Amino acid sequence: MSETLRVREMACFALHSAARAVTGYYRPLLDRLGLTYPQFLILVALWEADGRTVTALGEELDLDSGTVSPLLKRLEAAGLVERRREAADERVVTVHLTEDGKALEKDGCEIPGTIAAASDMTVEEILALRDQINRFTESIRKNTN
Amino acid sequence: MSETLRVREMACFALHSAARAVTGYYRPLLDRLGLTYPQFLILVALWEADGRTVTALGEELDLDSGTVSPLLKRLEAAGLVERRREAADERVVTVHLTEDGKALEKDGCEIPGTIAAASDMTVEEILALRDQINRFTESIRKNTN
DNA sequence: CACGATTAAGTTGTGCACAACCTATATGTG
DNA sequence: CACATATAGGTTGTGCACAACTTAATCGTG
């Protein structure tokens, strides 16, 4: 570290900037599917396991209900998911893919794999970087008040 | 890669999640200074070189005028910076720290250094991770339409 | 069974990111 | 010099992130 703080030398800025670069890379690809990046993540979670509760989706994506609820509202308005309040526990809402929502999987699941090529890194390097970032994140969350 | 796409296996999600974890870590520290994380980044850039133009700040932080302008407006309202339209070229606005803005450097510049400790990593490991992320970002930006 | 505590989801308000657009000033070419 | 073009900064509108709060349903303990 230097005595003067420089934006470009800050690890936190590198992360911040990288995350925005990735959503920028995804944007034109997802535009074709009519999706934003967070909406895409919700669909990925549902393609893996349909019928999750709102809370479960929030846990999977590290998001609270204040973010997930409006996201789901927009996905429902787009006809990609359906929300059902459960009879067994009326507090719970489960989220289900519509046929249109299911149909997007074929094109959608191709997109993340293109990141490796676009980053001029091998798949192995990307996965190693991912694991390192995940270890970092876990520690940071543990040490956040 | 697996046949089923999983949120937790996606490198892009790892980045997305890490960036939010970092701003979450910063939040309580910056709250004491009355700053948000993007506002803090603007101040860091100005502590390094005061009197930058709006465009120069945007380039430093990879942000366009639609993001920087309102950010500066809030910082000005908080009394931390001042905007001056230049006589030499009236299109240009330079941004200058007020005394209050300068006074925040002492406390502010301590914060980023605490990330290493909070991440249970050495400074060297953090810097290596930062460099790897920056290489990744550069490639991604180069290969974004 | 009653009632306070907890839980699930949603709402409201603020700030950031970004596309699209606008205005004013400056520049360059004929 | 005139006029098309480029540039700097700002505005508007949409969506996400998140804190704080609300509402409704459920749970747990006496």
Side-chain angles (χ1 to χ4, degrees), chain A residues 72-90:
Chain A
L72 292 174
K73 205 197 285 193
R74 284 184 285 269
L75 283 170
E76 191 164 43
L80 301 175
V81 307
E82 227 178 68
R83 284 185 286 185
R84 288 189 215 138
R85 200 158 281 273
E86 291 297 298
D89 183 342
E90 298 233 332

PDB file of all heavy atoms in Angstrom, chain A residues 72-90:
ATOM      1  N   LEU A  72     -39.453 -10.310  -8.773  1.00  0.00           N
ATOM      2  CA  LEU A  72     -40.417 -11.347  -9.133  1.00  0.00           C
ATOM      3  C   LEU A  72     -41.665 -10.734  -9.750  1.00  0.00           C
ATOM      4  O   LEU A  72     -42.259 -11.306 -10.676  1.00  0.00           O
ATOM      5  CB  LEU A  72     -40.794 -12.167  -7.901  1.00  0.00           C
ATOM      6  CG  LEU A  72     -39.680 -13.034  -7.331  1.00  0.00           C
ATOM      7  CD1 LEU A  72     -40.135 -13.690  -6.035  1.00  0.00           C
ATOM      8  CD2 LEU A  72     -39.235 -14.090  -8.339  1.00  0.00           C
ATOM      9  N   LYS A  73     -42.030  -9.566  -9.254  1.00  0.00           N
ATOM     10  CA  LYS A  73     -43.200  -8.890  -9.815  1.00  0.00           C
ATOM     11  C   LYS A  73     -42.979  -8.609 -11.298  1.00  0.00           C
ATOM     12  O   LYS A  73     -43.864  -8.799 -12.126  1.00  0.00           O
ATOM     13  CB  LYS A  73     -43.462  -7.587  -9.047  1.00  0.00           C
ATOM     14  CG  LYS A  73     -44.907  -7.121  -9.093  1.00  0.00           C
ATOM     15  CD  LYS A  73     -45.081  -5.666  -8.704  1.00  0.00           C
ATOM     16  CE  LYS A  73     -44.945  -5.424  -7.221  1.00  0.00           C
ATOM     17  NZ  LYS A  73     -45.423  -4.071  -6.817  1.00  0.00           N
ATOM     18  N   ARG A  74     -41.754  -8.146 -11.620  1.00  0.00           N
ATOM     19  CA  ARG A  74     -41.456  -7.846 -13.031  1.00  0.00           C
ATOM     20  C   ARG A  74     -41.386  -9.118 -13.869  1.00  0.00           C
ATOM     21  O   ARG A  74     -41.852  -9.145 -15.014  1.00  0.00           O
ATOM     22  CB  ARG A  74     -40.149  -7.054 -13.128  1.00  0.00           C
ATOM     23  CG  ARG A  74     -40.302  -5.589 -12.721  1.00  0.00           C
ATOM     24  CD  ARG A  74     -39.027  -4.791 -12.915  1.00  0.00           C
ATOM     25  NE  ARG A  74     -38.019  -5.066 -11.916  1.00  0.00           N
ATOM     26  CZ  ARG A  74     -37.887  -4.394 -10.765  1.00  0.00           C
ATOM     27  NH1 ARG A  74     -38.704  -3.411 -10.461  1.00  0.00           N
ATOM     28  NH2 ARG A  74     -36.943  -4.718  -9.914  1.00  0.00           N
ATOM     29  N   LEU A  75     -40.803 -10.178 -13.299  1.00  0.00           N
ATOM     30  CA  LEU A  75     -40.732 -11.450 -14.030  1.00  0.00           C
ATOM     31  C   LEU A  75     -42.135 -12.020 -14.249  1.00  0.00           C
ATOM     32  O   LEU A  75     -42.401 -12.638 -15.288  1.00  0.00           O
ATOM     33  CB  LEU A  75     -39.870 -12.466 -13.269  1.00  0.00           C
ATOM     34  CG  LEU A  75     -38.359 -12.254 -13.360  1.00  0.00           C
ATOM     35  CD1 LEU A  75     -37.630 -13.166 -12.388  1.00  0.00           C
ATOM     36  CD2 LEU A  75     -37.866 -12.493 -14.788  1.00  0.00           C
ATOM     37  N   GLU A  76     -43.004 -11.811 -13.278  1.00  0.00           N
ATOM     38  CA  GLU A  76     -44.379 -12.285 -13.420  1.00  0.00           C
ATOM     39  C   GLU A  76     -45.102 -11.469 -14.497  1.00  0.00           C
ATOM     40  O   GLU A  76     -45.814 -12.025 -15.335  1.00  0.00           O
ATOM     41  CB  GLU A  76     -45.122 -12.189 -12.082  1.00  0.00           C
ATOM     42  CG  GLU A  76     -46.463 -12.894 -12.086  1.00  0.00           C
ATOM     43  CD  GLU A  76     -47.003 -13.121 -10.678  1.00  0.00           C
ATOM     44  OE1 GLU A  76     -46.907 -12.179  -9.854  1.00  0.00           O
ATOM     45  OE2 GLU A  76     -47.522 -14.220 -10.409  1.00  0.00           O
ATOM     46  N   ALA A  77     -44.882 -10.157 -14.482  1.00  0.00           N
ATOM     47  CA  ALA A  77     -45.494  -9.284 -15.494  1.00  0.00           C
ATOM     48  C   ALA A  77     -45.014  -9.666 -16.887  1.00  0.00           C
ATOM     49  O   ALA A  77     -45.756  -9.553 -17.867  1.00  0.00           O
ATOM     50  CB  ALA A  77     -45.155  -7.817 -15.196  1.00  0.00           C
ATOM     51  N   ALA A  78     -43.770 -10.158 -16.986  1.00  0.00           N
ATOM     52  CA  ALA A  78     -43.217 -10.575 -18.280  1.00  0.00           C
ATOM     53  C   ALA A  78     -43.699 -11.969 -18.660  1.00  0.00           C
ATOM     54  O   ALA A  78     -43.365 -12.481 -19.736  1.00  0.00           O
ATOM     55  CB  ALA A  78     -41.685 -10.532 -18.231  1.00  0.00           C
ATOM     56  N   GLY A  79     -44.464 -12.606 -17.772  1.00  0.00           N
ATOM     57  CA  GLY A  79     -45.018 -13.918 -18.088  1.00  0.00           C
ATOM     58  C   GLY A  79     -44.032 -15.063 -17.962  1.00  0.00           C
ATOM     59  O   GLY A  79     -44.244 -16.133 -18.539  1.00  0.00           O
ATOM     60  N   LEU A  80     -42.958 -14.872 -17.202  1.00  0.00           N
ATOM     61  CA  LEU A  80     -41.925 -15.909 -17.108  1.00  0.00           C
ATOM     62  C   LEU A  80     -42.056 -16.754 -15.845  1.00  0.00           C
ATOM     63  O   LEU A  80     -41.589 -17.893 -15.818  1.00  0.00           O
ATOM     64  CB  LEU A  80     -40.534 -15.273 -17.166  1.00  0.00           C
ATOM     65  CG  LEU A  80     -40.262 -14.461 -18.444  1.00  0.00           C
ATOM     66  CD1 LEU A  80     -38.908 -13.778 -18.368  1.00  0.00           C
ATOM     67  CD2 LEU A  80     -40.341 -15.364 -19.675  1.00  0.00           C
ATOM     68  N   VAL A  81     -42.665 -16.189 -14.809  1.00  0.00           N
ATOM     69  CA  VAL A  81     -42.892 -16.950 -13.581  1.00  0.00           C
ATOM     70  C   VAL A  81     -44.301 -16.674 -13.066  1.00  0.00           C
ATOM     71  O   VAL A  81     -44.977 -15.737 -13.520  1.00  0.00           O
ATOM     72  CB  VAL A  81     -41.873 -16.596 -12.459  1.00  0.00           C
ATOM     73  CG1 VAL A  81     -40.441 -16.728 -12.949  1.00  0.00           C
ATOM     74  CG2 VAL A  81     -42.135 -15.210 -11.902  1.00  0.00           C
ATOM     75  N   GLU A  82     -44.693 -17.492 -12.098  1.00  0.00           N
ATOM     76  CA  GLU A  82     -46.001 -17.393 -11.467  1.00  0.00           C
ATOM     77  C   GLU A  82     -45.786 -17.520  -9.968  1.00  0.00           C
ATOM     78  O   GLU A  82     -44.966 -18.330  -9.537  1.00  0.00           O
ATOM     79  CB  GLU A  82     -46.840 -18.601 -11.930  1.00  0.00           C
ATOM     80  CG  GLU A  82     -48.237 -18.298 -12.389  1.00  0.00           C
ATOM     81  CD  GLU A  82     -48.886 -19.590 -12.844  1.00  0.00           C
ATOM     82  OE1 GLU A  82     -49.145 -20.458 -11.975  1.00  0.00           O
ATOM     83  OE2 GLU A  82     -49.077 -19.744 -14.054  1.00  0.00           O
ATOM     84  N   ARG A  83     -46.491 -16.707  -9.193  1.00  0.00           N
ATOM     85  CA  ARG A  83     -46.367 -16.817  -7.740  1.00  0.00           C
ATOM     86  C   ARG A  83     -47.610 -17.473  -7.161  1.00  0.00           C
ATOM     87  O   ARG A  83     -48.732 -17.094  -7.522  1.00  0.00           O
ATOM     88  CB  ARG A  83     -46.155 -15.426  -7.127  1.00  0.00           C
ATOM     89  CG  ARG A  83     -44.751 -14.915  -7.328  1.00  0.00           C
ATOM     90  CD  ARG A  83     -44.528 -13.601  -6.622  1.00  0.00           C
ATOM     91  NE  ARG A  83     -45.202 -12.506  -7.329  1.00  0.00           N
ATOM     92  CZ  ARG A  83     -45.092 -11.233  -6.976  1.00  0.00           C
ATOM     93  NH1 ARG A  83     -44.357 -10.911  -5.925  1.00  0.00           N
ATOM     94  NH2 ARG A  83     -45.713 -10.296  -7.661  1.00  0.00           N
ATOM     95  N   ARG A  84     -47.401 -18.421  -6.260  1.00  0.00           N
ATOM     96  CA  ARG A  84     -48.544 -19.087  -5.635  1.00  0.00           C
ATOM     97  C   ARG A  84     -48.418 -19.038  -4.128  1.00  0.00           C
ATOM     98  O   ARG A  84     -47.431 -19.508  -3.561  1.00  0.00           O
ATOM     99  CB  ARG A  84     -48.582 -20.570  -6.049  1.00  0.00           C
ATOM    100  CG  ARG A  84     -48.981 -20.779  -7.482  1.00  0.00           C
ATOM    101  CD  ARG A  84     -49.209 -22.262  -7.764  1.00  0.00           C
ATOM    102  NE  ARG A  84     -48.786 -22.561  -9.133  1.00  0.00           N
ATOM    103  CZ  ARG A  84     -48.108 -23.635  -9.513  1.00  0.00           C
ATOM    104  NH1 ARG A  84     -47.775 -24.551  -8.606  1.00  0.00           N
ATOM    105  NH2 ARG A  84     -47.764 -23.806 -10.771  1.00  0.00           N
ATOM    106  N   ARG A  85     -49.437 -18.488  -3.489  1.00  0.00           N
ATOM    107  CA  ARG A  85     -49.441 -18.491  -2.026  1.00  0.00           C
ATOM    108  C   ARG A  85     -49.850 -19.884  -1.571  1.00  0.00           C
ATOM    109  O   ARG A  85     -50.829 -20.455  -2.065  1.00  0.00           O
ATOM    110  CB  ARG A  85     -50.402 -17.417  -1.497  1.00  0.00           C
ATOM    111  CG  ARG A  85     -50.127 -17.008  -0.075  1.00  0.00           C
ATOM    112  CD  ARG A  85     -50.692 -15.633   0.272  1.00  0.00           C
ATOM    113  NE  ARG A  85     -49.897 -14.512  -0.192  1.00  0.00           N
ATOM    114  CZ  ARG A  85     -48.879 -13.956   0.467  1.00  0.00           C
ATOM    115  NH1 ARG A  85     -48.508 -14.464   1.632  1.00  0.00           N
ATOM    116  NH2 ARG A  85     -48.228 -12.926  -0.021  1.00  0.00           N
ATOM    117  N   GLU A  86     -49.063 -20.449  -0.682  1.00  0.00           N
ATOM    118  CA  GLU A  86     -49.250 -21.842  -0.282  1.00  0.00           C
ATOM    119  C   GLU A  86     -50.396 -22.001   0.702  1.00  0.00           C
ATOM    120  O   GLU A  86     -50.517 -21.225   1.655  1.00  0.00           O
ATOM    121  CB  GLU A  86     -47.967 -22.382   0.346  1.00  0.00           C
ATOM    122  CG  GLU A  86     -46.842 -22.545  -0.655  1.00  0.00           C
ATOM    123  CD  GLU A  86     -47.182 -23.558  -1.734  1.00  0.00           C
ATOM    124  OE1 GLU A  86     -47.389 -24.747  -1.389  1.00  0.00           O
ATOM    125  OE2 GLU A  86     -47.266 -23.174  -2.923  1.00  0.00           O
ATOM    126  N   ALA A  87     -51.198 -23.024   0.494  1.00  0.00           N
ATOM    127  CA  ALA A  87     -52.337 -23.279   1.378  1.00  0.00           C
ATOM    128  C   ALA A  87     -51.861 -23.763   2.746  1.00  0.00           C
ATOM    129  O   ALA A  87     -52.417 -23.389   3.774  1.00  0.00           O
ATOM    130  CB  ALA A  87     -53.276 -24.309   0.752  1.00  0.00           C
ATOM    131  N   ALA A  88     -50.798 -24.559   2.761  1.00  0.00           N
ATOM    132  CA  ALA A  88     -50.304 -25.147   4.011  1.00  0.00           C
ATOM    133  C   ALA A  88     -49.815 -24.065   4.985  1.00  0.00           C
ATOM    134  O   ALA A  88     -50.017 -24.170   6.193  1.00  0.00           O
ATOM    135  CB  ALA A  88     -49.173 -26.127   3.714  1.00  0.00           C
ATOM    136  N   ASP A  89     -49.168 -23.030   4.426  1.00  0.00           N
ATOM    137  CA  ASP A  89     -48.707 -21.902   5.249  1.00  0.00           C
ATOM    138  C   ASP A  89     -48.889 -20.659   4.416  1.00  0.00           C
ATOM    139  O   ASP A  89     -48.118 -20.388   3.508  1.00  0.00           O
ATOM    140  CB  ASP A  89     -47.234 -22.093   5.650  1.00  0.00           C
ATOM    141  CG  ASP A  89     -46.752 -20.965   6.561  1.00  0.00           C
ATOM    142  OD1 ASP A  89     -47.402 -19.901   6.608  1.00  0.00           O
ATOM    143  OD2 ASP A  89     -45.720 -21.141   7.226  1.00  0.00           O
ATOM    144  N   GLU A  90     -49.909 -19.908   4.737  1.00  0.00           N
ATOM    145  CA  GLU A  90     -50.301 -18.805   3.872  1.00  0.00           C
ATOM    146  C   GLU A  90     -49.325 -17.642   3.882  1.00  0.00           C
ATOM    147  O   GLU A  90     -49.482 -16.689   3.136  1.00  0.00           O
ATOM    148  CB  GLU A  90     -51.717 -18.310   4.243  1.00  0.00           C
ATOM    149  CG  GLU A  90     -52.787 -19.352   4.056  1.00  0.00           C
ATOM    150  CD  GLU A  90     -53.938 -18.837   3.198  1.00  0.00           C
ATOM    151  OE1 GLU A  90     -54.175 -17.622   3.189  1.00  0.00           O
ATOM    152  OE2 GLU A  90     -54.605 -19.664   2.537  1.00  0.00           O
TER     153      GLU A  90
END
